[in-house]
Amino acid sequence: MSSNPPTEPAARGRLGRPRRWWAGRPLRTRLVLALVALLALVSVAIGGLTTLALRHVLVAQVDTQLTMGDRPRDLPPWFRPGGDPGRPAPRPGVAAPSPPEPPRGFPPGSLAVRRADGVTTATRSTASGSLADVPAADAARLVALPTDGRPRTVTLDEGDVRAVARQLPNGVVVAVGIPLSGVQDTVWALVAAQAGVVGLGLLLAGGAGALIVRATLRPLNRVAATAARVTELPLDRGEVALAVRVPAADTDPRTEVGQVGAALNRMLGHVADALAVRQASETRVRQFVADASHELRTPLAAIRGYAEVSRRGRDEVPTDVAHALRRVESESARMTSLVDDLLLLARLDAGRPLAADPVDLSALVVDAVSDAHVAGPEHHWRLDLPEVVIRVPGDAARLHQVVANLLANARVHTPPGTTVTTSLAVEGGTAVLTVADDGPGVPAQVRPEMFERFARGDSSRSRAHGSTGLGLAIVAAVVEAHHGTVGVDSRPGRTVFAVRLPDPTADA
């Protein structure tokens, strides 16, 4: 079985990690790193080419020194292409001539090798001017070179040398070599200097690049700051004054950042126009609701009054007619309550201020819980009040409506036998009113919309008595008008609504 399928995902994972790291870096960092990497690549390329060129020049100088520019008169007699005319070839039984010596002017460490009649002799010059023996293996490598007079590089035990070999007319093979240690030392010194210069240059380039990139991206930062300020504006409701714009200096269409800034300004203009249209539409709708609610109150009161008068008149009415009149009274009362709620929300939307009188929250909670006990005797109602009296500035009628709506919500949406506990406390600079029940809880998908108008819970919480979907919306609107907050925390077996109101006072 092939192992390619398991290894390919692993390879992609190894390649993906650097990509994810690179993609997660800020643009400023990526630009600086890319600049430094490009400079490093160019510097390495230039340094490498310079080093190769220098080595080539130095080796060419060694070659010229080896061959003496192919001028035979400058070569030692024993190394001339025609040999030493005054010295006949050695005959068998005759003592060999003196060992060869490197030519004058060759650097220390140069070698001279001669092979005659199968006997190889070699010497090496030293820094003191004397001659030293050459290992037989190194001498054999030198005389084994082609005798065409072309310089070649030979690797010996003590390092590389540049050598040239010739065969004299009398059959003697001679060779000379110059060590390349000097060339290599020069090359490595150049490499070290280049590394130091390149490293320092990259540090300076990185620092300067970071400053340049930061200055270049500063307009982009201002554009991002403008977008961030827009995200902090309350655009979801109410009248929106979207006056935030990118500065004109950052909207130059000749630059990429200017194009982004101009596009953002155009987008903000379109958004502002759309919000203005939406606000105008909402204003018309709210005005219509307020006007309709106000106009409906009178006919509803008349319908309810005439139904009650007809049912309680002197003349006895049939049973079915009496039942119908009672239903008319009931539905007209429910519609009146709905109209009152709509009118209240319309007035709160219009920003009409509420009263700011001292309100005794403790007495208000006691009254609301007493009313809830009468309305829902099948529930267990509990109170948890502090020993001190807690007061807050506000509208007593509206705050009573807040508590009553929360208790009614607990009564309507929980089964009989549920325990509902109303608590009041002071935490820091706020008065905290909580209504908790041990009912089935609020589904998670319903919680974000609980305080919206006409929002209803699903069938997991009992709706035997029905609801208009405006109770919690009124709670949120009234609490917001009192500069407070309302929230809910729910799970199966416990649901807690918490209302926080500012500036409380506590009296014994």
Side-chain angles (χ1 to χ4, degrees), residues 204-298:
L204 295 177
L211 295 177
I212 294 173
V213 169
R214 179 176 298 178
T216 304
L217 294 182
R218 192 170 292 125
L220 186 59
N221 293 335
R222 291 194 292 267
V223 173
T226 301
R229 289 196 299 272
V230 172
T231 61
E232 297 172 358
L233 296 176
L235 305 179
D236 58 334
R237 64 184 62 187
E239 185 176 358
V240 179
L242 192 58
V244 180
R245 291 294 187 275
V246 177
D250 299 329
T251 58
D252 188 351
R254 295 173 298 178
T255 64
E256 289 79 2
V257 176
Q259 294 172 6
V260 173
L264 181 59
N265 278 349
R266 289 194 299 272
M267 183 188 71
L268 292 177
H270 294 325
V271 171
D273 294 341
L275 291 176
V277 172
R278 185 207 67 180
Q279 177 62 21
S281 176
E282 288 184 356
T283 301
R284 287 193 297 269
V285 171
R286 288 170 181 170
Q287 186 63 40
F288 169 76
V289 171
D291 295 343
S293 300
H294 181 75
E295 294 298 330
L296 286 174
R297 297 178 72 182
T298 300

Side-chain angles (χ1 to χ4, degrees), residues 412-415 440-443 445-446 456-464:
V412 171
H413 295 291
T414 57
V442 181
Q445 65 271 19
V446 177
R456 298 171 181 267
D458 63 8
S459 58
S460 63
R461 290 167 68 89
S462 173
R463 288 180 53 203

Side-chain angles (χ1 to χ4, degrees), residues 29-41 202 205-206 208-210 212-213:
T29 302
R30 285 189 284 172
L31 288 176
V32 173
L33 291 179
L35 173 64
V36 172
L38 181 60
L39 289 177
L41 182 61
L202 291 179
I212 294 173
V213 169

Side-chain angles (χ1 to χ4, degrees), residues 303-304 307-308 311 319-335 465:
I303 292 173
R304 186 177 179 182
E308 185 175 354
R311 184 173 57 84
T319 305
D320 55 345
V321 175
H323 174 73
L325 291 174
R326 283 194 296 271
R327 295 301 304 152
V328 169
E329 290 181 42
S330 175
E331 292 303 315
S332 61
R334 195 171 77 87
M335 182 170 281
H465 301 283

Side-chain angles (χ1 to χ4, degrees), residues 126-139:
T126 63
S128 62
S130 60
L131 298 177
D133 293 333
V134 177
D138 291 348

